[in-house]
Amino acid sequence: MATYALLLTLTVHLHMGLCHLLAAVIGIPGCEMRVIPFLLARLRGGAATVLEPCPGLWAPIDRWEARVRAGSRAA
């Protein structure tokens, strides 16, 4: 059981870490958890879509990131 819990924890953390790194490198707004489907849609020639904000407690962080991005573009 401990091995299963460890593997599950590693899988979740590696997936979320990869998503956060991709979102930071690409600089896309919105929920980092949706970055991989967003990239797959773009690679398949999909239209430019805007990622929705993350639900719950993450929404204020997304709004703060949007303000920081807007401020850095104005400078």
Side-chain angles (χ1 to χ4, degrees):
M1 183 68 166
T3 303
Y4 174 74
L6 177 63
L7 289 174
L8 180 64
T9 302
L10 286 174
T11 302
V12 169
H13 282 89
L14 288 173
H15 172 73
M16 288 308 297
L18 176 66
C19 289
H20 281 90
L21 286 174
L22 284 172
V25 168
I26 298 168
I28 60 171
C31 190
E32 288 83 4
M33 294 181 287
R34 303 278 305 147
V35 72
I36 292 175
F38 177 82
L39 285 175
L40 291 175
R42 295 296 301 267
L43 289 173
R44 291 180 183 148
T49 59
V50 177
L51 293 177
E52 63 276 351
C54 286
L57 298 173
W58 298 106
I61 295 172
D62 285 336
R63 287 192 297 270
W64 172 78
E65 288 175 336
R67 284 194 311 267
V68 168
R69 278 190 200 98
S72 66
R73 289 180 192 153

